[in-house]
Amino acid sequence: MANTSARMLRLLSLLQTHRFWPGSELADRLEVSQRTLRRDVDRLRELGYPVDANRGVAGGYQLQSGAAMPPLLLDDEEAVAIAVGLRTAAGGAVDGIEETSMRALTKVIQVMPPRLRRRVEALRSYTVPTFWGGTTTNATVDAMSLTVIASSCRDDERLRFGYKTYDGDESKRHVEPHRLVSLGRRWYLVAWDVERHDWRTFRADRMVDPKPTGARFRQRDLPGGDAGAFVRDRLNQRPTQYEAIMEIKAPAKKVKEQVAHWGTVEPITDETCRLTMKVDSFEWPAMVVGVIGAEFTVVGPPELKDYIREMGKVLLRSTED
């Protein structure tokens, strides 16, 4: 059995990673008796952590938000600053830590009192998103919605929400959430659609008022087992209007750094490559080749060549005295 301090830290970590823990399961995880578990919970309460307990056969423990932040050596201003910083990182401002930031943000907001949550929401409402390639950095989805979705994934709890599809159709959805995936400055939910009996992906910024239902479920096995690969595969299957193909006088590695997963880059020689992008408009391919800053040839379609030619005329006119 671990010493009391180490055991309490382990207990706190478990309470923060699941919405509700049956008492017997929590005691088994800690390898202690139910009596020792109750004493450890009482110690957490004395330190300011709001732990609710339900008695009886189905009894257990749940970490709640309280009247004040638990004693994490943070004042209110620091707590809000951390939440806002994590939200910014979750939106893709810092490459490579989006999902880690989302997990941390979920834990912080879970124990944050309502008055501080309102302050975080106010900061969100008065923040103007920046744009890149036609996509907002946070894709207009707010941190509170993301934490609701993430919590439902974590707690194996069914979720209901309104949804607007790519074609503009609106519907009500009832799903078993599996994973949130951050991809290209957007968030996608991978979930089993209860009414359509199939795995689906949902863009988080198109989800309206997501709410947990309270109904629990057992997680299904996702085809392939990789939520990120599942989302990328679904996006590649979506019909698009054009296939933009360009040969660029730049190394494939350099082009790939700019394109990421939004296109396919094939090396032709060490210093040239072919870029293929499936798009519905030409703004994004034109911006990509502009950022790369190398000579290129449009292979097709003809509409892309016309679009870039007209854009070039506009840029040239803007430099005339």
Side-chain angles (χ1 to χ4, degrees), residues 12-70:
L12 181 58
S13 176
L14 289 171
L15 289 171
Q16 288 180 329
T17 56
H18 216 283
R19 186 170 184 178
F20 176 83
W21 281 97
S24 57
E25 184 177 349
L26 199 53
D28 289 342
R29 286 290 190 100
L30 296 170
E31 299 181 349
V32 298
S33 66
Q34 293 271 9
R35 183 178 179 181
T36 299
L37 175 61
R38 287 193 294 270
R39 286 201 300 264
D40 287 347
V41 168
D42 287 339
R43 292 189 182 99
L44 285 180
R45 289 170 178 156
E46 291 173 0
L47 291 173
Y49 291 94
V51 184
D52 282 355
N54 297 325
R55 300 185 181 279
V57 177
Y61 299 92
Q62 184 172 359
L63 185 64
Q64 300 282 7
S65 60
M69 288 292 294

Side-chain angles (χ1 to χ4, degrees), residues 23-302:
S24 57
E25 184 177 349
L26 199 53
D28 289 342
R29 286 290 190 100
L30 296 170
E31 299 181 349
V32 298
S33 66
Q34 293 271 9
R35 183 178 179 181
T36 299
L37 175 61
R38 287 193 294 270
R39 286 201 300 264
D40 287 347
V41 168
D42 287 339
R43 292 189 182 99
L44 285 180
R45 289 170 178 156
E46 291 173 0
L47 291 173
Y49 291 94
V51 184
D52 282 355
N54 297 325
R55 300 185 181 279
V57 177
Y61 299 92
Q62 184 172 359
L63 185 64
Q64 300 282 7
S65 60
M69 288 292 294
L72 301 175
L73 302 179
L74 298 173
D75 60 25
D76 289 356
E77 299 294 333
E78 291 169 334
V80 171
I82 286 175
V84 172
L86 288 170
R87 174 183 168 273
T88 302
V94 182
D95 186 41
I97 65 168
E98 295 96 334
E99 295 187 27
T100 303
S101 300
M102 190 67 249
R103 291 198 303 270
L105 179 61
T106 300
K107 289 183 179 181
V108 170
I109 290 184
Q110 180 181 358
V111 296
M112 184 175 281
R115 59 188 171 81
L116 296 187
R117 294 189 194 188
R118 287 192 292 270
R119 292 176 62 182
V120 174
E121 178 62 15
L123 285 171
R124 183 208 66 81
S125 300
Y126 288 93
T127 300
V128 178
T130 57
F131 288 78
W132 171 253
T135 303
T136 57
T137 55
N138 62 3
T140 69
V141 61
D142 66 87
M144 298 304 173
S145 292
L146 281 177
T147 54
V148 168
I149 299 168
S151 296
S152 295
C153 292
R154 179 196 64 193
D155 299 331
D156 301 336
E157 187 172 2
R158 285 184 174 180
L159 194 66
R160 288 189 183 273
F161 53 89
Y163 192 69
K164 187 173 184 178
T165 67
Y166 175 79
D167 297 322
D169 298 329
E170 297 183 3
S171 60
K172 298 293 184 182
R173 299 302 184 101
H174 184 201
V175 305
E176 295 177 353
H178 179 69
R179 287 291 187 276
L180 262 176
V181 176
S182 173
L183 187 62
R185 300 183 184 274
R186 293 195 189 278
W187 285 93
Y188 296 87
L189 170 65
V190 177
W192 175 265
D193 194 308
V194 174
E195 296 171 352
R196 291 162 176 79
H197 308 289
D198 194 12
W199 286 99
R200 298 294 172 92
T201 61
F202 303 94
R203 256 179 51 179
D205 57 303
R206 292 179 178 159
M207 296 170 64
V208 180
D209 195 23
K211 291 187 180 299
T213 65
R216 302 305 175 94
F217 66 92
R218 184 182 295 276
Q219 285 282 355
R220 304 168 187 265
D221 292 330
L222 178 69
D226 186 333
F230 184 84
V231 172
R232 287 192 294 270
D233 183 61
R234 290 299 176 97
L235 291 177
N236 289 334
Q237 292 177 14
R238 182 177 66 83
T240 54
Q241 189 172 357
Y242 303 105
E243 184 176 62
I245 304 174
M246 294 169 286
E247 291 185 357
I248 304 174
K249 293 183 179 180
K253 181 179 179 181
K254 177 182 177 180
V255 175
K256 186 66 176 177
E257 289 174 352
Q258 298 297 333
V259 177
H261 60 276
W262 298 112
T264 301
V265 181
E266 301 172 294
I268 299 175
T269 68
D270 290 343
E271 298 299 325
T272 61
C273 63
R274 173 175 288 219
L275 169 62
T276 303
M277 301 178 71
K278 295 181 178 180
V279 297
D280 292 306
S281 64
F282 297 126
E283 288 89 349
W284 182 226
M287 181 175 291
V288 167
V289 293
V291 170
I292 293 170
E295 293 184 17
F296 64 94
T297 301
V298 175
V299 178

